């Protein structure tokens, strides 16, 4: 059976593994390497990571194409996930646009470059905190709506843990980055000739290693529905275009309609 959801999950998992490995190597290199070595490693694995992002994008498109394969509720949840994604994208772009406008206005109205750099430190720090936290919350909602109907009990726990840890780590890292940005602007103001962004880049790599925790949880929450579909525990209700869906049965445990050839109930995980 042609299952776009399963294919999409497969590409997302592979792409996530690639980007995660690149992120781990880049973060670890920040602890042991200095000077141009960090920039070189970041550039190399940045290219490889981009390949992972492309695979994730392909997987997301396939996953979206298969939104009708697992019932009406899952289809509505995918629609909600897309709406949240659009809202998140518009909100983040709007915030960044407003911040750029503030920077331009501040640069024009402030005569002294030192005062200008110092005055930009606070709004920049606030922007980092707001965007990081809001992004983590909206991202968690996207994962929730996209996966919740495909998860079993264990998968739901992993998914919830991923959302909570993502928000918590975003709060911690955003405040840390905000503090580093204040120091960065101070360095530019006091000694622009000797200024180097390398220490800032290294610190970002070091704190970025915390992001591995929610990424691993999210990766596992993608793997569980993929395995359920592959093992026949979760069977698509809708077939490819031009074919009629299989008739449904009623789960004797929870009373919800399930695919006729399902070995397990996709909602309560009861073995049929």
């Amino acid at each position: 059976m042609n299952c776009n959801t399963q294919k999409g999950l497969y590409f997302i998992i592979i792409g996530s593994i690639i980007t995660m490995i690149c992120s781990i190597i880049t973060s670890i290199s920040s602890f042991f390497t200095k000077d141009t070595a960090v920039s070189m490693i970041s550039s190399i694995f940045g290219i490889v990571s981009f390949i992972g992002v492309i695979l994730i994008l392909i997987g997301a498109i396939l996953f979206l194409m298969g939104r009708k394969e697992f019932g009406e509720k899952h289809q509505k949840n995918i629609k909600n996930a897309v709406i949240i994604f659009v809202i998140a994208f518009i909100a983040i772009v709007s915030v960044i646009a407003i911040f750029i406008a503030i920077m331009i206005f501040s640069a024009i109205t402030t005569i002294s470059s030192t005062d200008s750099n110092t005055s930009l430190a606070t709004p920049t720090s606030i922007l980092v905190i707001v965007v990081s936290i809001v992004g983590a919350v909206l991202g968690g909602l996207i994962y929730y709506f996209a996966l919740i109907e495909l998860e079993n009990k264990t998968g739901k726990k992993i998914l919830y843990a991923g959302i909570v840890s993502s928000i918590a780590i975003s709060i911690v890292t955003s405040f840390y980055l905000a503090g580093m940005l204040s120091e960065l602007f101070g360095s530019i103001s006091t000694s622009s000739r000797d200024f180097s962004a390398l220490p800032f880049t290294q610190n970002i790599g070091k704190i970025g290693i915390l992001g591995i925790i929610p990424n691993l949880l999210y990766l596992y929450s993608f793997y569980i529905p993929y395995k359920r579909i592959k093992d026949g525990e979760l069977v698509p209700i809708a077939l490819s275009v031009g074919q009629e869906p299989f008739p449904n049965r009623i789960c004797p445990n929870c009373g919800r309609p399930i695919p006729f050839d399902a070995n397990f109930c996709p909602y309560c995980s009861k073995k049929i």
Side-chain angles (χ1 to χ4, degrees):
M1 182 183 298
N2 184 22
C3 182
N4 287 320
T5 301
Q6 182 182 1
K7 293 179 181 178
L9 289 169
Y10 177 79
F11 277 99
I12 291 173
I13 291 169
I14 299 300
S16 298
I17 291 174
I18 292 174
T19 55
M20 192 181 306
I21 291 175
C22 292
S23 177
I24 292 173
I25 294 175
T26 303
S27 297
I28 292 177
S29 67
S30 301
F31 289 93
F32 302 104
T33 56
K34 296 180 180 180
D35 302 328
T36 57
V38 176
S39 300
M40 184 179 299
I41 292 173
S42 299
S43 299
I44 294 173
F45 285 99
I47 296 172
V48 179
S49 181
F50 179 74
I51 297 175
V53 172
I54 296 298
L55 292 176
I56 292 174
L57 180 60
I58 294 172
I61 294 173
L62 289 170
F63 190 84
L64 181 62
M65 290 172 59
R67 63 190 180 277
K68 298 180 180 180
E69 295 173 340
F70 292 96
E72 185 178 352
K73 189 172 182 180
H74 176 66
Q75 183 179 354
K76 290 180 179 179
N77 283 344
I78 295 297
K79 181 180 178 180
N80 292 333
V82 172
I83 292 173
I84 294 172
F85 174 81
V86 173
I87 292 174
F89 179 80
I90 294 174
I92 292 176
V93 170
S94 299
V95 170
I96 294 175
I98 293 172
F99 176 73
I100 293 175
I102 293 174
M103 288 182 64
I104 295 174
F105 179 79
S106 178
I108 295 175
T109 57
T110 305
I111 298 175
S112 171
S113 60
T114 301
D115 293 338
S116 176
N117 289 326
T118 305
S119 64
L120 287 174
T122 299
T124 302
S125 300
I126 294 175
L127 176 70
V128 169
I129 294 172
V130 171
V131 171
S132 297
I133 297 175
V134 172
V137 172
L138 294 179
L141 289 174
I142 292 172
Y143 282 121
Y144 173 83
F145 283 113
L147 297 172
I148 192 64
E149 283 297 307
L150 305 178
E151 302 285 0
N152 54 21
K153 292 181 180 179
T154 301
K156 290 178 181 179
K157 292 178 182 178
I158 297 295
L159 180 60
Y160 295 147
I163 295 172
V164 172
S165 63
S166 176
I167 295 173
I169 290 175
S170 293
I171 293 173
V172 173
T173 55
S174 63
F175 278 96
Y176 178 81
L177 290 175
M180 287 199 307
L181 283 171
S182 297
E183 295 179 3
L184 181 66
F185 278 104
S187 300
I188 297 174
S189 301
T190 55
S191 181
S192 58
R193 290 183 179 180
D194 300 329
F195 165 74
S196 174
L198 183 59
F200 178 74
T201 304
Q202 290 175 319
N203 287 330
I204 290 179
K206 293 175 182 179
I207 193 67
I209 201 169
L210 290 176
I212 296 172
I213 298 173
N215 288 337
L216 283 173
L217 292 170
Y218 282 139
L219 179 62
Y220 193 33
S221 67
F222 277 111
Y223 174 73
I224 289 177
Y226 170 78
K227 189 175 186 302
R228 295 184 72 198
I229 297 172
K230 184 179 180 181
D231 294 344
E233 180 183 346
L234 194 61
V235 180
I237 296 175
L239 297 176
S240 58
V241 178
Q243 293 180 295
E244 293 296 327
F246 285 124
N248 291 332
R249 293 184 297 169
I250 300 298
C251 173
N253 185 51
C254 67
R256 300 178 74 171
I258 58 175
F260 86 105
D261 54 351
N263 297 322
F264 293 84
C265 175
Y267 305 105
C268 68
S269 301
K270 172 85 172 170
K271 185 174 182 179
I272 307 301

